[in-house]
Amino acid sequence: MSLNIPNTLTWARIALIPLFVGVFYLPDAILGPVQKNLVATSIFIVAAVTDWFDGYLARALKQTSAFGAFLDPVADKLMVAAALILLVQLARVDAIIAVIIIGREITISALREWMARVGESASVAVAYVGKLKTAAQMTAIPLLLYNAPLLSMDMAFVGSILIYVAAALTLWSMGYYLHRAMPRLAKHMDR
């Protein structure tokens, strides 16, 4: 395992997850509901920034590695899954939305792993629709965590709209990847 600056940032992102979740389990006497929302939002944003930053540094410092390429998406998916589960518990996201997004992540991760094993990983490389899904999701989650007006805008409402957009893009991107993989899947199912 290569422990360089980008991988250290990715590990730090994973280490933030229990802190992120734990904020909501603190007694209200220690941290009130509004403060919990603000702290959790801040932690999520820091994690999102480190996600961008570790990828940038890996390329800029020429410290890309197979382990980093594996760990980075795992860290992202863990943070998003933790956030969605919390948002369901807080009644800010419908369970079906969380199931769609988390289910897609598991399905596409498994598909990518299988396609890499059969030498076909290029056919399920990240597509533009996947990037749109990620942008909608990574904007919606902090807005839903914050859950308060900001600059006279109802962030919870905007976040709710964006999380539904993210869910729709999630289904679209999953369909796209499955469609791209279908010829390879059909070829290997006959064996």
Side-chain angles (χ1 to χ4, degrees):
M1 173 179 70
S2 171
L3 194 59
N4 53 33
I5 294 170
N7 287 350
T8 302
L9 285 173
T10 304
W11 279 115
R13 195 158 73 249
I14 292 170
L16 284 175
I17 296 169
L19 180 64
F20 169 73
V21 172
V23 164
F24 287 103
Y25 287 91
L26 290 172
D28 287 348
I30 293 174
L31 206 59
V34 172
Q35 289 78 23
K36 289 177 185 178
N37 290 342
L38 184 58
V39 170
T41 303
S42 300
I43 293 169
F44 189 87
I45 290 170
V46 165
V49 169
T50 65
D51 179 30
W52 175 84
F53 206 51
D54 67 16
Y56 170 78
L57 285 176
R59 290 183 297 278
L61 300 173
K62 297 184 181 7
Q63 294 182 345
T64 58
S65 67
F67 182 74
F70 155 76
L71 189 63
D72 183 64
V74 169
D76 300 343
K77 288 164 184 39
L78 288 172
M79 181 58 96
V80 167
L84 288 170
I85 292 166
L86 277 173
L87 289 168
V88 168
Q89 183 177 355
L90 295 166
R92 297 179 195 171
V93 168
D94 289 331
I96 189 69
I97 297 299
V99 168
I100 287 169
I101 293 172
I102 295 168
R104 179 264 189 208
E105 296 303 337
I106 293 167
T107 302
I108 299 307
S109 292
L111 178 67
R112 284 191 173 128
E113 181 181 334
W114 183 79
M115 293 294 279
R117 284 186 184 194
V118 297
E120 299 280 355
S121 59
S123 60
V124 287
V126 176
Y128 185 70
V129 67
K131 291 180 181 190
L132 284 176
K133 180 265 315 171
T134 300
Q137 178 178 285
M138 298 304 272
T139 304
I141 290 172
L143 295 177
L144 290 164
L145 288 167
Y146 185 68
N147 199 45
L150 183 66
L151 303 173
S152 302
M153 287 180 55
D154 183 352
M155 293 294 111
F157 177 73
V158 175
S160 292
I161 300 237
L162 282 174
I163 203 70
Y164 278 96
V165 168
L169 289 170
T170 294
L171 291 172
W172 182 11
S173 69
M174 185 169 72
Y176 172 82
Y177 292 124
L178 289 172
H179 177 74
R180 296 268 314 191
M182 199 53 67
R184 284 88 178 167
L185 288 169
K187 181 173 80 175
H188 289 282
M189 284 193 298
D190 291 339
R191 293 180 184 174

